[in-house]
């Protein structure tokens, strides 16, 4: 008697019927439903299996940080080069053109700023993410910190709502103050996000990053962190991608670059086309010098 396992494995029971075994191209996503896969396929390029998310949500905790004073002038010209835009609803509604037709990774947790204690956050209303047509909902999780339990609770609630409406969720790992920024910590933090229902995990690159990726059953994207010289930022992207990251969710190393448009294109070359850091940097210089 045929059962579903035979069919999934492509057994045609000697009937000569071609049974196609299909699997979705992103790690751990085979069992997601159609709506979830549709949204993910808008975010992750199908050919490379990776994404360049442009992060400019920093203002929700930092205010108008350097490079983000004028989103209309500094960020909007970069939109065409990104696969996905990571921002808050305030900036989305007021500054991002609604016809830019890029998938949105919407920051849906908020609560405190750099002026008080960071990471004390609650969730927006899910309907707001639906109104904004979010392709991903992102919430901060502070593993190992004072707000661990409440932020994990936020994530689990978000994952429940995301599952209900087929909207992928992204756990954003904020590093607790006393935590070592090493592979052991990031593997734990990423795994906790995935175990609690994150569809994507955003974390940081570190030495031994392969261990972080291997222990996480869903795609990982890396944040860029503080501004680095362009070549070093491209090395960071390269190392993360070559060690299994499914992309970057990068902000300051793009919008604080001396040439943000050249930088995001160089990052895209490293992420999607496997350019080496040197090739990426040459691309950066070439675009920059074209003026
Ligand atoms: C801001 C964030 C950013 O989205 C994230 O840190 C990525 O930006 P960067 O590359 O500048 O670190 O979470 O709160």
């Amino acid at each position: 008697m045929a059962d579903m396992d035979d069919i999934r494995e492509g057994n045609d029971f000697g009937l000569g019927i071609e049974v196609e075994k299909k699997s979705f191209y992103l790690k751990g996503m085979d069992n997601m439903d159609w709506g979830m896969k549709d949204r993910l396929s808008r975010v992750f390029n199908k050919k490379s299996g990776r994404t360049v998310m442009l992060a400019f949500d920093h203002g929700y905790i930092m205010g108008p940080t350097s490079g983000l004073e004028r989103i209309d002038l500094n960020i909007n010209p970069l939109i065409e080069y990104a696969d996905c835009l990571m921002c808050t609803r305030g900036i989305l509604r007021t500054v991002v053109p609604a016809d830019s037709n890029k998938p949105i990774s919407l920051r849906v947790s908020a609560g405190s700023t750099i002026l008080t204690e960071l990471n004390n956050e609650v969730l927006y209303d899910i309907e707001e993410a639906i109104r904004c047509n979010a392709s991903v909902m992102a919430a901060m999780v502070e593993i190992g910190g004072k707000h661990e339990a409440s932020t994990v609770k936020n994530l689990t609630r978000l994952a429940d709502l995301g599952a209900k409406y087929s909207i992928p969720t992204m756990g954003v790992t904020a590093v607790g103050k006393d935590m070592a920024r090493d592979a052991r910590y990031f593997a734990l933090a990423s795994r906790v996000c995935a175990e609690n229902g994150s569809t994507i995990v955003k974390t940081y690159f570190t030495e031994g990053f392969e261990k972080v990726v291997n222990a996480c059953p869903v795609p990982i994207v890396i944040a860029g962190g503080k501004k680095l010289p362009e070549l070093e930022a491209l090395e960071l992207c390269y190392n993360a991608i070559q060690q299994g990251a499914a992309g970057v969710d990068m902000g300051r190393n793009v919008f604080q670059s001396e040439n943000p448009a050249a930088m995001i294109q160089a990052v895209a070359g490293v992420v999607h086309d496997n350019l080496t850091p040197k090739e990426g940097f040459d691309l950066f210089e070439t675009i920059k010098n074209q003026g």
Side-chain angles (χ1 to χ4, degrees):
M1 185 68 185
D3 65 20
M4 282 312 290
D5 284 344
D6 286 320
I7 292 168
R8 281 191 202 102
E9 281 158 23
N11 184 351
D12 74 349
F13 314 106
L15 297 174
I17 301 163
E18 203 172 304
V19 181
E20 201 180 349
K21 188 186 167 206
K22 281 195 177 158
S23 60
F24 193 63
Y25 67 102
L26 290 172
K27 185 179 181 180
M29 296 299 123
D30 264 348
N31 297 322
M32 299 294 163
D33 83 359
W34 194 94
M36 193 76 86
K37 287 176 176 165
D38 174 63
R39 289 187 172 90
L40 287 166
S41 68
R42 300 192 65 219
V43 174
F44 291 87
N45 178 301
K46 193 164 179 189
K47 206 162 148 223
S48 68
R50 299 174 188 151
T51 187
V52 174
M53 292 188 187
L54 176 60
F56 50 101
D57 57 323
H58 306 58
Y60 95 105
I61 49 170
M62 295 181 182
T65 196
S66 170
L68 290 186
E69 299 89 341
R70 288 289 303 267
I71 304 278
D72 55 340
L73 301 180
N74 302 337
I75 296 296
N76 286 358
L78 308 178
I79 289 177
E80 63 177 297
Y81 307 113
D83 298 307
C84 177
L85 309 177
M86 165 99 179
C87 61
T88 61
R89 63 176 172 181
I91 289 298
L92 185 73
R93 283 224 171 78
T94 56
V95 199
V96 176
D99 60 356
S100 47
N101 204 22
K102 290 282 174 179
I104 302 299
S105 173
L106 193 70
R107 165 71 70 169
V108 296
S109 66
S112 51
T113 72
I114 48 168
L115 299 181
T116 58
E117 50 162 355
L118 272 178
N119 303 339
N120 187 7
E121 300 197 344
V122 294
L123 292 181
Y124 292 7
D125 185 340
I126 178 86
E127 288 181 1
E128 182 64 344
I130 295 169
R131 279 191 289 272
C132 292
N133 197 24
S135 293
V136 176
M137 301 185 292
M140 183 279 300
V141 184
E142 187 195 42
I143 303 300
K146 187 172 156 195
H147 305 291
E148 181 180 84
S150 61
T151 55
V152 170
K153 197 168 151 202
N154 286 345
L155 180 67
T156 58
R157 169 106 183 102
L158 191 64
D160 287 344
L161 293 166
K164 188 168 174 188
Y165 296 103
S166 285
I167 305 178
T169 50
M170 182 159 78
V172 175
T173 64
V175 185
K177 236 197 215 152
D178 304 319
M179 294 299 116
R181 298 173 74 95
D182 59 14
R184 198 161 162 225
Y185 171 73
F186 289 123
L188 187 154
S190 302
R191 181 64 171 262
V192 168
C193 288
E195 298 258 0
N196 284 302
S198 256
T199 328
I200 306 167
V201 172
K202 170 170 156 181
T203 195
Y204 293 89
F205 180 75
T206 184
E207 203 176 312
F209 187 68
E210 262 167 356
K211 286 190 196 135
V212 180
V213 172
N214 290 341
C216 183
V218 301
I220 290 186
V221 295
I222 61 141
K226 286 191 181 139
K227 171 77 175 74
L228 299 166
E230 276 74 6
L231 180 57
E232 281 177 41
L234 293 168
E235 277 164 1
L236 175 79
C237 295
Y238 179 82
N239 290 333
I241 292 298
Q242 297 305 318
Q243 290 180 46
V248 298
D249 187 6
M250 191 169 259
R252 287 163 286 182
N253 278 292
V254 171
F255 61 72
Q256 292 176 352
S257 166
E258 61 169 302
N259 192 320
M263 187 58 181
I264 192 170
Q265 290 176 79
V267 168
V270 170
V271 170
H272 292 306
D273 304 324
N274 293 309
L275 295 190
T276 63
K278 160 94 177 57
E279 288 167 338
F281 188 68
D282 289 346
L283 180 61
F284 169 76
E285 288 285 317
T286 305
I287 299 169
K288 183 182 95 179
N289 293 330
Q290 280 163 0

